[in-house]
Amino acid sequence: MNLKSSFYSVTFLTILCLFVSCKEQYVSKSEVLIVSEGFKNPLGFYDVTPTFSWQLPVVDAVKNQKAYQIVVASSEALLPNNADLWDSNKQESSQSTFIQYAGKALNSRQKVYWQVKYWNQDNVASEWSAINSFELGLLNNNDWQAKWIGLPTKEEGVIGSQENIIHRPQYLRKGFELTKNVASARLYITAKGVFDVAINGQDVSDDVMPPGYTPYKKRIETITYDVSNLINSGKNTIGVEVAAGWHSGRLGWMKSFWSDTESPKIICQLELTMEDGSKEIIVSDASWKGTTNGPIRLSEIYDGETYDANLEIPAWTTNTFDDKNWKPVNAFDIINDIKLEPKRHTTVKSKITLETKEVVEKDGAAIFDLQQNMVGVPLLKVPMKKGETLKIRFAEMLSPDGTFYTDNYRSAQSTDYYTASEDGVVEWMPKFTFHGFRYVELSGFDASKSPSKDWVTGLVQYSDFEENGTFTSSHEKLNQLQSNIVWGLRGNFFDIPTDCPQRDERMGWTGDAQVFGPTAMFNANVYKFWASWLQSVRESQYDNGGIPWVVPDVLYNNKVSAGWGDVCTIIPWKIYYRTGDKRILEENYETMKGWVAYHETSSKDFISSMGGFADWLQPLPANGDNKGDTSHSLIGTAFFAHSAKLTAQTAQALGKTEDYNTYNQLYKNVANAFAEKFFDEKGKIKDVAETQTSYLLALAFDLLPEAKQANAKQYLLEKINEADNHLRTGFLGTPLLSEVLDETGEIDLMYKLLFNETYPSWFYSINQGATTIWERWNSYSKEEGFNPMNMNSLNHYAYGAIGEWMYERIAGIAPLEPGYKKISIAPQPNAPLNAASASYETPYGKVTSSWKIENNTFQLETTIPPNTTAVISIPANTSEALLLNGETFKDNEHIKLTKTTANSFEFLAQPGTYILVSKF
Ligand code: BGC
């Protein structure tokens, strides 16, 4: 090597060293930055005291967080060093989720930028994360200069066979002129009803039926759109369609509850910042014009949409349209009784597209089979003749003779009509309604054409959340069950949690929500969905503390039900446990207390007389009643104790010691009274019907003294045995089965119940063709056809509650501490399964657990996310060899063997991926 080349190599090496050592000062930046309940860079955000969460990257150098720093500023340029809103400074803490903002007060419209850095377990700093942002919406009624506007639309009419109030959809527009160039534009908008907005002929968004469904007499959610790219200098036009929706349409068992006299309206405010920094504002007011002579003649959630293409109004949202024949709208001041607040979760969107799998022609009609029961609308591409009307019907199933089964829609017409204005292929989808269906029937198309699959596509619509869990196994029917659970979720998370999506209900039944909520959290990122609906629950609580049957309370009958109203204690607690966010407890604490107080007033000597729907739809009830055989008083008392206990736990988590003592004592008093009143000294039910659900409630809610507990378990097993090892549980008992049998050590029996093929069981409905969870274990059977009861939904998520156990115990992923800071990986393999795996997005990142059994060998592959630890437990013949990542197991800095029993190994593991193999 000559001198010159050695000089170059030394220099090169020095630069390389500098680079490497410089690199070594940092570890990779954090990812997945989130504000509050799971929002990523939201626009029109609701929260002025947000929380911040982030995830550490999955890299070898990062196991845990030692410290963090968050900086928040009013402009991107100020970050990271000149944060003018908040600098948390370096905080020694391993907390990386839900850190409360503690900076300057934030205001409506404000755009806020933030980023975060952390220090890893070795105190090595990360680089600053990417800059994220949120922009607040209009937070208060006094931010609104606009007025509610609309035409008077109330007509008496008939829908189907029912007399009803009809509100014709309205078309509202306004032209305006700008002399300057626009730098940015925000449209703040909402409706009493549901709307669709366009500017200069272009759709503003693909939201479905915004703003969604809240207790409209208390609060209406507003939506913010960035419309900077749609507005020009010079002439502009804004046009809004508004239909009845949940606000003015038929809902519940009423004509129109929220407002039978008030026509749908919109309110909107277009706020413009011009290039020279000046501001302009265009508002909804009396200068707008409107018509009801548009193509959408009628749109009702239950009944469907009627569209007449002859009445289309070409280019009505553009500047070229002349609205001289339109009427001036009526304008109304906003009133402060109804709060206008930014939407707290995401709008509904078309999320999945389903192709038609089969078409058959029957009696001049064509039936399209999507082979999946779904919720949303059809996208149609159908040849038609001018003047003909296409009739579009829906069904969840066909009768054995191939005809449409629509009895279970009850009074919901669920039928769309489209009248063609010319010959040719019509492309259309309804806009302000939705249907629950697997089959679509078309009649009235161009009879010279033969129907083909591409005429109908299913657009699956639900609130815009991501799915964040997967579960799969070696058993086809168990996988079908998981699929049915997920489709039940997709079908019933239409802005609010609904009981069912197809018949004349689609309401926020509190009991159904209580039962399915925990499973929903595994399958989808629904924290903000629940947090938002719980706000509606709080707003709907009666003055006496009662929680209505449905939320929003469209029945308004002042009635309550045990096990239904308890949604207000159960769901916040479950969310807290899954997320680790105490704010959900803080927000709901007063409501919990109010509900427990209501329980108290419904009880005498702690024994409840609340009543309600009881163990709803229990199969084979001896009394023949939908409410099942379990004593109503026993159920009421059990939920009284349970809600008192959850309120005590909440008080404890919030550091309210005195309250904790009060509610814990109350729980004990109720539990004692319960045990005395309903159980004899041996732990057997006395004086009331002995049912599986009575024992399940007593054991799951921990209501019996130890002495009675062991026997009660035996009596429960006897009851199950008496039923030929089948469940006899309805809505309230079913979710408790797995939990109780598991804790009792009866995993074999729980597997037996889960894999039962005969009635009543989960697989029974699958054997009858179910592609979603049904309302009844036997909503349909091949032998007997459709269940004749008039409540017979084929998309009713409640019995899908078993999903929680599938994730937590079959795959074996469960939190050991709130928010999965400490995780349990403890799969429970059992026949007939020989493999199962699940993944779940915890607040810290993805955790996976995947096991299989082959040749008497048990193999677990698991990934533990950064900034958590896990206790892993695997079944094993512990006298035989144990392998870690293919080699004989030895403790190392990442994983240690902490416990060995005759048939299991237990480990403490740091973040990382491990493959453990034991003899089984
Ligand atoms: C709903 C249920 C609900 C029940 C109350 C039904 O009509 O569909 O799921 O919980 O009423 O009994």
Side-chain angles (χ1 to χ4, degrees), residues 37 219 344-346 463 465 489 492-493 495-498 508-538 551 567-568 570-572 574-576 578-579 584 587-588 797:
E37 297 93 2
R219 176 174 55 100
R344 255 199 96 153
H345 71 118
T346 34
S463 288
F465 45 70
L489 172 96
N492 286 292
F493 277 53
D495 204 64
I496 60 154
T498 58
W509 277 99
T510 47
D512 308 45
Q514 179 268 103
V515 162
F516 186 66
T519 292
M521 289 167 213
F522 279 105
N523 288 301
N525 191 348
V526 283
Y527 181 11
K528 49 186 178 303
F529 180 92
W530 285 116
S532 172
W533 183 70
L534 283 169
Q535 181 172 349
S536 299
V537 172
R538 295 196 292 279
V551 171
V567 73
C568 73
I570 294 172
I571 294 292
K574 282 280 186 182
I575 291 179
Y576 165 63
R578 303 266 169 252
T579 61
I584 193 76
E587 275 190 349
N588 291 290
Y797 53 44

Side-chain angles (χ1 to χ4, degrees), residues 761-868:
S761 70
W762 288 274
F763 286 7
Y764 181 70
S765 62
I766 289 173
N767 291 338
Q768 316 308 314
T771 59
T772 36
I773 301 288
W774 290 347
E775 184 168 19
R776 296 165 185 275
W777 299 106
N778 59 348
S779 282
Y780 170 81
S781 76
K782 287 175 183 159
E783 299 80 43
E784 290 172 27
F786 292 102
N787 195 304
M789 302 298 286
N790 81 340
M791 282 174 319
N792 195 34
S793 151
L794 302 179
N795 198 351
H796 225 81
Y797 53 44
Y799 291 142
I802 187 66
E804 183 180 24
W805 191 76
M806 288 158 58
Y807 273 94
E808 290 207 328
R809 299 297 277 157
I810 295 183
I813 301 173
L816 278 178
E817 279 176 15
Y820 295 83
K821 185 81 175 129
K822 194 165 185 187
I823 302 169
S824 161
I825 302 289
Q828 291 291 323
N830 213 318
L833 287 186
N834 49 39
S837 63
S839 70
Y840 177 61
E841 283 295 337
T842 73
Y844 298 92
K846 188 188 270 190
V847 56
T848 68
S849 169
S850 177
W851 62 263
K852 62 179 178 193
I853 297 169
E854 265 169 18
N855 308 325
N856 296 331
T857 305
F858 179 85
Q859 175 178 313
L860 172 75
E861 178 166 357
T862 180
T863 299
I864 312 301
N867 211 17
T868 66

Side-chain angles (χ1 to χ4, degrees), residues 431-741:
K431 194 179 264 190
F432 296 125
T433 188
F434 62 94
H435 306 280
F437 62 98
R438 165 178 164 168
Y439 298 92
V440 179
E441 183 198 74
L442 300 183
S443 54
F445 50 85
D446 179 346
S448 69
K449 303 280 188 312
S450 60
S452 74
K453 290 182 196 165
D454 57 357
W455 287 15
V456 175
T457 305
L459 298 182
V460 180
Q461 299 174 326
Y462 53 93
S463 288
D464 187 18
F465 45 70
E466 290 133 42
E467 294 185 7
N468 66 348
T470 58
F471 175 93
T472 178
S473 75
S474 54
H475 199 286
E476 216 180 293
K477 285 184 191 167
L478 191 62
N479 297 345
Q480 184 65 48
L481 175 59
Q482 167 67 12
S483 170
N484 292 4
I485 292 171
V486 171
W487 278 102
L489 172 96
R490 292 175 184 149
N492 286 292
F493 277 53
F494 204 100
D495 204 64
I496 60 154
T498 58
D499 57 332
C500 57
Q502 73 296 73
R503 69 172 177 233
D504 49 358
E505 295 214 39
R506 315 188 201 186
M507 292 182 282
W509 277 99
T510 47
D512 308 45
Q514 179 268 103
V515 162
F516 186 66
T519 292
M521 289 167 213
F522 279 105
N523 288 301
N525 191 348
V526 283
Y527 181 11
K528 49 186 178 303
F529 180 92
W530 285 116
S532 172
W533 183 70
L534 283 169
Q535 181 172 349
S536 299
V537 172
R538 295 196 292 279
E539 290 162 345
S540 306
Q541 185 167 33
Y542 300 131
D543 290 343
N544 62 13
I547 299 285
W549 284 352
V550 298
V551 171
D553 182 12
V554 74
L555 302 176
Y556 210 72
N557 54 11
N558 268 310
K559 289 191 178 161
V560 294
S561 168
W564 268 243
D566 300 274
V567 73
C568 73
T569 56
I570 294 172
I571 294 292
W573 182 259
K574 282 280 186 182
I575 291 179
Y576 165 63
Y577 218 73
R578 303 266 169 252
T579 61
D581 187 8
K582 285 195 181 153
R583 205 164 68 161
I584 193 76
L585 299 180
E586 277 158 16
E587 275 190 349
N588 291 290
Y589 185 55
E590 288 304 317
T591 299
M592 295 180 178
K593 283 166 57 179
W595 172 244
V596 172
Y598 186 83
H599 263 298
E600 276 186 280
T601 57
S602 314
S603 308
K604 189 161 180 285
D605 300 329
F606 305 114
I607 298 298
S608 175
S609 55
M610 184 183 289
F613 301 108
D615 195 19
W616 188 243
L617 304 188
Q618 176 216 311
L620 301 168
N623 63 7
D625 191 334
N626 276 335
K627 295 183 178 177
D629 295 318
T630 305
S631 149
H632 293 203
S633 177
L634 183 149
I635 290 174
T637 309
F639 275 95
F640 179 13
H642 191 49
S643 275
K645 187 180 178 190
L646 293 176
T647 306
Q649 285 172 201
T650 299
Q652 191 175 37
L654 297 178
K656 299 175 190 287
T657 316
E658 220 174 288
D659 280 12
Y660 167 74
N661 292 334
T662 308
Y663 285 101
N664 199 40
Q665 192 52 52
L666 179 61
Y667 150 62
K668 286 184 178 158
N669 293 343
V670 183
N672 287 340
F674 175 92
E676 283 297 309
K677 167 87 182 166
F678 300 109
F679 288 77
D680 69 14
E681 63 293 346
K682 290 205 294 281
K684 191 174 173 63
I685 295 279
K686 66 170 187 195
D687 302 335
V688 293
E690 194 190 13
T691 61
Q692 293 182 9
T693 294
S694 331
Y695 288 113
L696 290 167
L697 287 165
L699 294 165
F701 296 170
D702 201 4
L703 305 179
L704 299 179
E706 247 170 70
K708 292 187 183 184
Q709 250 179 49
N711 287 340
K713 285 175 188 169
Q714 286 314 312
Y715 293 125
L716 169 66
L717 298 184
E718 276 172 28
K719 284 309 287 177
I720 297 176
N721 193 267
E722 231 173 71
D724 189 23
N725 286 335
H726 278 69
L727 57 81
R728 289 283 185 276
T729 49
F731 276 28
L732 297 183
T734 303
L736 309 177
L737 264 173
S738 46
E739 180 186 330
V740 170
L741 290 179

Side-chain angles (χ1 to χ4, degrees), residues 349-355 374-377 457-462 467 486-487 490:
K349 302 249 190 214
S350 290
K351 298 278 293 174
I352 299 175
T353 299
L354 291 184
E355 306 294 329
M374 59 156 277
V375 175
V377 293
T457 305
L459 298 182
V460 180
Q461 299 174 326
Y462 53 93
E467 294 185 7
V486 171
W487 278 102
R490 292 175 184 149

Side-chain angles (χ1 to χ4, degrees), residues 40 46 93 178 219 227 553 574 584 646 817 897 909 913:
K40 290 179 190 161
Y46 82 94
S93 163
L178 301 170
R219 176 174 55 100
V227 293
D553 182 12
K574 282 280 186 182
I584 193 76
L646 293 176
E817 279 176 15
L897 183 63
T913 294

